[in-house]
Amino acid sequence: YVAKARNRGVAVYDPSEDAHDPGRLALLSELRRAIDQRELVLHYQPKVSLSTGDVCGAEALVRWNHPQRGMVPPDRFIPLAEHTGLIGPLTRYVLDMALREARRWADEGHPLQIAVNLAARNLTDPDLVDDVLRLLEAHQVPAHLLCLELTESAITTEPEHALRLLTQLRAAGISLAVDDFGAGYTSLAQLKNLPITELKIDRSFVATMTTERSNGLIVRSIVDLARNLGLTTVAEGVEDAEIVDALAADGCSVAQGYHLSRPLPAVDFDRWYAANRALSRLA
Ligand code: C2E
Ligand code: MG
Ligand code: MG
Ligand code: MG
């Protein structure tokens, strides 16, 4: 087996890292093929302003449209891609598709910011910044229409390196979000020093904020913290209207979740957007 948390000196068996597991090897070669065959598709989930009700952007979420297995969710193959070096090509492919969509939205008269998830491993790729800038240029998408989402662990594993990289991306005008915030171990000192623009509150707090008092207090504290640091707050996992009201009362900026829309294929997203852009989704 491979030790998962090598540098912490703890060995945890994780089948997704076991090079001798035949299921994993099969999946790995299939994933390699899937990238070449363009079997990965993006679904788009709207992000809606809590103050105006306007759609302000969308998050691109990858799925594997597998010929036999059907739609495979990202949790089933992103970790595998991360442990095998496939995450580099996968991320570029996702960025390419996402920026193509962002260009199309802008051409159709409604520029929306597109958010793309980065894996922790992407931050150790020396070509990442150049490749992102090259793809923006290739698709003629202005940098402010791209947001990159990073998890806390991506940022805290090698903080000096992450800071250098994020500084370059931010200097180019790209927005930077910390995803699943509250679920990890970012110190306030780290947070203050990073050139990030947005905190996405982990859905484990948001989805239960109106039923578990302590989670409601955590959400409010994160919104206050973000405001004091000059950051936008996005609540993920907004599953009902009561949560929308509570978030608005707390001063949270943006909502994302099943109550507004599930992640949708591009065609359905366009239809949803046409039907909802003029309405207040929050009513
Ligand atoms: P994430 O970035 O935190 O994305 C949000 C996840 O929550 C998505 O799951 C979304 O479908 C789900 N979600 C949205 N609203 C609700 C809600 O109201 N309730 C509940 N219960 N869930 C909601 P999904 O699409 O399965 O993605 C899971 C994770 O996989 C993502 O979490 C992200 O970490 C990763 N991921 C997705 N696409 C990519 C990608 O292109 N690259 C990388 N590196 N990671 C990705
Ligand atoms: Mg995300
Ligand atoms: Mg998240
Ligand atoms: Mg997540």
Side-chain angles (χ1 to χ4, degrees), residues 5-16:
R6 265 176 225 94
N7 46 15
R8 272 172 285 154
V10 191
V12 181
Y13 179 73
D14 177 347
S16 76

Side-chain angles (χ1 to χ4, degrees), residues 52-270:
T52 66
D54 291 336
V55 181
C56 50
E59 179 172 5
L61 294 156
V62 73
R63 277 101 183 79
W64 181 358
N65 191 6
H66 190 283
Q68 282 89 41
R69 301 179 208 232
M71 280 292 177
V72 183
D75 295 338
R76 299 274 300 282
F77 62 91
I78 292 285
L80 181 65
E82 269 211 271
H83 292 136
T84 55
L86 269 184
I87 195 67
L90 189 151
T91 301
R92 280 162 189 73
Y93 177 58
V94 166
L95 269 167
D96 186 56
M97 287 195 286
L99 291 173
R100 189 184 309 272
E101 212 57 26
R103 180 66 254 166
R104 191 173 60 79
W105 292 333
D107 287 342
E108 290 172 2
H110 46 87
L112 292 175
Q113 188 184 65
I114 187 82
V116 173
N117 293 281
L118 291 186
R121 185 57 75 82
N122 289 134
L123 295 194
T124 63
D125 181 342
D127 297 326
L128 179 74
V129 175
D130 283 350
D131 287 348
V132 170
L133 298 183
R134 197 174 35 74
L135 283 164
L136 282 170
E137 175 72 26
H139 289 286
Q140 291 289 293
V141 172
H144 73 271
L145 290 183
L146 175 63
C147 177
L148 295 174
E149 298 193 358
L150 308 117
T151 58
E152 288 182 74
S153 60
I155 292 167
T156 51
T157 308
E158 278 189 70
E160 299 85 19
H161 175 73
L163 175 62
R164 221 166 26 240
L165 195 114
L166 298 187
T167 302
Q168 288 175 289
L169 293 167
R170 186 67 202 120
I174 296 165
S175 295
L176 299 171
V178 179
D179 207 348
D180 305 339
F181 184 75
Y185 302 96
T186 318
S187 75
L188 297 183
Q190 279 172 320
L191 205 59
K192 178 187 71 146
N193 289 322
L194 286 168
I196 53 171
T197 52
E198 182 176 302
L199 289 186
K200 294 192 80 171
I201 309 170
D202 192 68
R203 72 166 187 258
S204 64
F205 304 119
V206 176
T208 55
M209 69 180 285
T210 57
T211 52
E212 280 175 49
R213 192 179 129 75
S214 58
N215 285 343
L217 293 172
I218 289 172
V219 170
R220 187 182 306 168
S221 306
I222 295 176
V223 171
D224 287 343
L225 170 69
R227 188 188 301 110
N228 291 328
L229 292 173
L231 305 173
T232 302
T233 38
V234 179
E236 52 178 35
V238 177
E239 295 184 351
D240 60 46
E242 215 184 315
I243 298 175
V244 169
D245 294 340
L247 288 167
D250 286 346
C252 180
S253 334
V254 176
Q256 181 181 345
Y258 293 167
H259 176 65
L260 303 161
S261 169
R262 294 196 170 246
L264 300 169
V267 178
D268 299 318
F269 179 86
D270 283 0

